[in-house]
Amino acid sequence: MEGFITDWLNLALRWFHVIAAIAWIGESFYFVALDNSLKPPTDANQRKRGVFGELWHVHGGGFYNMQKYTVAPPEMPDDLHWSKWPSYTTWMSGFSLFFVLYLLSPTTYLIDTNVLDMGPVVAVAAALGFLAAGWIVYDSLCRVLGTNDRVLGVCVGIYVVIAAYLACHIFSGRAAYLIMGAMLATIMSANVFFVIIPGQRKMVAAMLKGETPNPIYGKRGKQRSVHNTYFTLPVVFAMLSNHYAMTYTNKYNWVVLLFIMLAGALIRQFFVMRHRGQVLWYLPLGGVALMFGALAWTLPKPVAPEAQAANAPKVTVADIAPVLQQRCVQCHSAHPTLMGSAPAGVLLDTPDEISQNAQRIYQQAVTLKAMPLGNVTHITDDERKKIAAWFEGGAAK
């Protein structure tokens, strides 16, 4: 029953998280596109009122005129939209999901003793510390180097490389990818909470007092917003990565992660520049090249089946069924004991089900060694070799 409740909680939180993320990313992408598409106003009166740029839209049968002021409008409107709640709900729902799936089961999801042998409490503390340190280091870089966008961008990029390396050498590969995404997402939401919104509040407060707002708050907010837009696609990949073990189980998984994250940033840059009227095809092509590079890096090396001894019996389903019964059906069963339901609907209760999933079993247990998760059922190398011999020998029934 506990696993069943956890699965439903997982479903509800994941659904809510995806909905909130769509709202936040959509709003963020729109404002970045708007900011990069603005044209100087042609009306002299608009320029006198402090309008920096404007953009006309036609959508849904109506015309819209979006305007941006150099600092602020002459008078504060009665109804002012604050772009914050999509960010906050995305982070809160994401952290709740991370708590339910990873922090409550650190032995299964966070720890890989082949990477770093640590206890559950240490693993949970390390994961939370990683998120907190991510923001602290990033924010410190922005405060120290914020006057030079180019230098700051390079330093933030170097920091992401270091963080990816550390994460993949502390946590299991699956957890490392997710924690890297969560770290960047924490930075993004913290930018909104600690910098962008407070700066906007100070600008509004100054206007209500009849004072001219300090433009530094707008500049800082825009700088953090630009960083957020480049983090977005890498974060989306990290959130999806747990479905693709060939990436995070690689020996150099941190390199694979960086390849794909950089590909996402380049593709995002293409659209940013396109909104400015520059079509730079080398950006998405570079992103695609990096994805192919990641594919080539993770491509499994073909392994020739070992020749069986002349009198060695052929390995059949009956031979590996006890291994799967002892190591795998705790999750992959019609009535699992470690989870509420079988992941991906893969059942291994009967010989027919085992044969139907032969390729998956070989891929996950032998080639990638991604299963069992965290090796909680302690499958041995000899048992993996037996599965390999069965599959490479034709997956005999």
Side-chain angles (χ1 to χ4, degrees), residues 46-288:
Q46 296 284 22
R47 293 195 294 271
K48 288 180 181 179
R49 294 180 66 246
V51 175
F52 167 78
E54 64 177 353
L55 178 67
W56 283 90
H57 285 288
V58 58
H59 179 75
F63 292 88
Y64 302 82
N65 181 213
M66 309 299 292
Q67 297 178 337
K68 178 180 179 180
Y69 289 81
T70 303
V71 178
E75 297 180 0
M76 180 60 59
D78 294 330
D79 188 11
L80 186 62
H81 171 74
W82 294 83
S83 179
K84 57 182 180 178
W85 286 112
S87 167
Y88 301 161
T89 52
T90 299
W91 189 88
M92 289 187 290
S93 59
F95 183 79
S96 299
L97 189 60
F98 179 60
F99 179 83
V100 169
L101 291 182
Y102 283 77
L103 299 187
L104 290 184
S105 303
T107 304
T108 302
Y109 291 102
L110 290 179
I111 301 170
D112 182 345
T113 55
N114 294 318
V115 176
L116 184 64
D117 193 358
M118 55 182 169
V121 174
V122 174
V124 171
L128 293 174
F130 211 90
L131 301 188
W135 162 249
I136 292 170
V137 173
Y138 165 82
D139 185 58
S140 299
L141 289 173
C142 289
R143 292 181 185 277
V144 173
L145 305 171
T147 56
N148 192 319
D149 286 336
R150 188 179 297 274
V151 172
L152 176 59
V154 170
C155 290
V156 170
I158 293 173
Y159 173 55
V160 170
V161 172
I162 294 172
Y165 178 86
L166 290 176
C168 290
H169 285 79
I170 295 174
F171 306 102
S172 70
R174 175 182 173 130
Y177 275 35
L178 187 73
I179 288 171
M180 272 301 299
M183 185 195 83
L184 294 180
T186 298
I187 290 172
M188 292 170 67
S189 196
N191 275 339
V192 176
F193 186 81
F194 290 114
V195 179
I196 298 173
I197 294 299
Q200 290 173 345
R201 290 191 183 282
K202 290 176 181 177
M203 295 175 74
V204 170
M207 288 190 63
L208 292 175
K209 294 177 182 178
E211 302 172 355
T212 301
N214 189 338
I216 189 63
Y217 300 120
K219 292 178 181 178
R220 288 175 182 168
K222 183 176 180 180
Q223 184 181 69
R224 301 296 181 105
S225 181
V226 168
H227 292 172
N228 280 5
T229 201
Y230 291 118
F231 286 160
T232 303
L233 295 187
V235 168
V236 170
F237 162 72
M239 297 300 105
L240 299 174
S241 64
N242 64 324
H243 296 288
Y244 305 102
M246 71 281 191
T247 59
Y248 61 76
T249 58
N250 187 269
K251 181 180 179 181
Y252 298 100
N253 52 4
W254 65 280
V255 177
V256 176
L257 176 61
L258 291 173
F259 271 31
I260 298 176
M261 282 188 164
L262 180 56
L266 289 176
I267 292 169
R268 182 70 190 116
Q269 174 69 353
F270 169 77
F271 287 101
V272 170
M273 299 306 294
R274 186 166 177 262
H275 294 310
R276 295 179 185 173
Q278 301 179 50
V279 181
L280 306 177
W281 286 108
Y282 66 84
L283 291 170
L285 292 176
V288 171

Side-chain angles (χ1 to χ4, degrees), residues 315-329 332-334 345-363 365 386-388 390-391 394-397:
V315 181
T316 66
V317 168
D319 297 314
I320 68 160
V323 175
L324 303 183
Q325 186 68 33
Q326 187 176 5
R327 312 299 186 190
C328 304
V329 297
H332 293 284
S333 170
V346 176
L347 304 179
L348 303 176
D349 293 312
T350 67
D352 284 343
E353 290 169 343
I354 293 172
S355 295
Q356 289 168 7
N357 291 287
Q359 178 65 55
R360 284 192 174 193
I361 295 169
Y362 179 74
Q363 178 77 3
K386 179 178 282 191
I387 295 173
W390 166 69
F391 181 80
K397 292 185 177 182

Side-chain angles (χ1 to χ4, degrees), residues 21-45:
I22 290 172
W24 183 19
I25 292 172
E27 191 174 65
S28 173
F29 278 17
Y30 171 74
F31 277 108
V32 171
L34 172 64
D35 201 51
N36 286 315
S37 302
L38 294 172
K39 305 294 182 184
T42 56
D43 188 341
N45 292 327

